[in-house]
Amino acid sequence: MTQTPMPMHTDPNETVQRHLVWRGWLRLAHWSMAAGTLALLFTGWLIANAPSVADHAVQDHYLAAYLLLGGLGLRLWLLLRGGEVERFKTLLPDLTRTHVMKDMVRFYISFGRMPLPRWYAHNPLWGPVYLLLLLALVMVAATGFAQQQWPIVYGFYLPSMHRWWADAIGLFVIAHLLAVVLHDWKGTACDVSAMLSGYRIFVIKRIDPEEIVGTQRISVEQIARPSSRDPD
Ligand code: HEM
Ligand code: HEM
């Protein structure tokens, strides 16, 4: 993990650090899935609502499907074999961090007036939602490829299932975009550009040596693995 101290910060009690949290492979997976999904939502809408261009839209829908599949395949591989913040377990609900999840809910229901809590890589409230999204993307891809050859499987009508999962993903995309813009706007971590550059910004309180009474022991592992801890 890379740390870059930044000297321009003005509050003498705080310091600012940039940490590389999103590796290139995760960013590549994210943007392939994002671009593929947005194109699939658009071409899917054309297929359903614009009969005059539907034939062309089907071809573009398949092209976008391969972009999505590339990103999704890479992301699923990272779930199993990726770095520390990319693995499956980091997207599971973490019951030791329910206080951060509650603060996130307060932040949303106050429309950003309550403080945004801090976190390291994945937002603890959204992690499990991302896991469900990956499942939804697998389902929409499977029903998309299978629906024309096998429209009915075990009594399920695949075109309706495809439409159902596509609508659920559409809702996720709206909520996701609102959330990441709100986090970027009200927070200090520069979340959106972090998904481009890989670096999040952490504002850290300096410790006054006068306040330190006694000696605290911490292990080398704790210093070397800040990603498993809150930055605060
Ligand atoms: C186009 C504008 C988009 C922007 C600016 C954006 C931005 C972001 C940001 C900042 C995060 C990190 C959030 C966090 O702290 O947890 C994130 C995560 C994520 N986003 Fe997006 N996103 C966009 C579109 C999408 C779309 C369309 C999808 C649908 C596939 C998507 C799927 C995800 C997933 C699955 C994650 C979790 C990262 C991972 O572990 O793979 N994003 N996005
Ligand atoms: C990833 C692989 C995918 C494949 C192979 C695929 C394939 C297809 C096919 C063959 C159709 C029917 C076209 C026709 O009626 O001639 C269709 C329709 C549609 N797809 Fe996909 N699709 C995929 C992913 C997605 C995704 C991710 C979304 C949105 C999130 C989506 C949204 C839609 C919509 C809204 C329709 C129109 C349904 C209707 O007519 O009511 N698809 N797709």
Side-chain angles (χ1 to χ4, degrees), residues 30-31 34 37 75 119 121-123 130 133 176-177 180 191:
H30 176 270
W31 290 116
T37 303
R75 187 63 187 97
W119 63 89
H122 285 109
N123 179 290
Y130 296 141
L133 171 76
H176 180 60
L177 295 187
V180 294
D191 276 321

Side-chain angles (χ1 to χ4, degrees), residues 83-157:
E84 197 176 354
V85 305
E86 296 152 3
R87 297 232 172 180
F88 180 73
K89 68 173 167 27
T90 57
L91 293 177
L92 292 172
D94 180 352
L95 296 180
T96 63
R97 313 197 63 207
T98 48
H99 61 290
V100 185
M101 298 186 205
K102 282 183 194 155
D103 287 349
M104 283 306 301
V105 174
R106 285 196 197 100
F107 170 77
Y108 290 132
I109 58 181
S110 70
F111 295 105
R113 281 189 289 269
M114 297 292 281
L116 180 67
R118 295 194 282 176
W119 63 89
Y120 182 72
H122 285 109
N123 179 290
L125 187 67
W126 280 85
V129 181
Y130 296 141
L131 206 50
L132 290 178
L133 171 76
L134 296 178
L135 175 70
L137 290 172
V138 170
M139 293 304 293
V140 86
T143 52
F145 281 111
Q147 64 184 338
Q148 288 186 325
Q149 206 166 353
W150 302 285
I152 300 177
V153 174
Y154 294 117
F156 289 104
Y157 185 55

Side-chain angles (χ1 to χ4, degrees), residues 40-41 44 48 58 61-62 65 68 140-141 144-145 147-148 162-163 166:
L40 284 157
L41 282 169
V58 172
H61 201 67
Y62 271 106
L68 170 70
V140 86
F145 281 111
Q147 64 184 338
Q148 288 186 325
H162 188 70
R163 182 61 193 257

Side-chain angles (χ1 to χ4, degrees), residues 175-192:
H176 180 60
L177 295 187
L178 287 174
V180 294
V181 168
L182 202 59
H183 299 169
D184 200 290
W185 180 20
K186 297 286 178 177
T188 52
C190 299
D191 276 321
V192 172

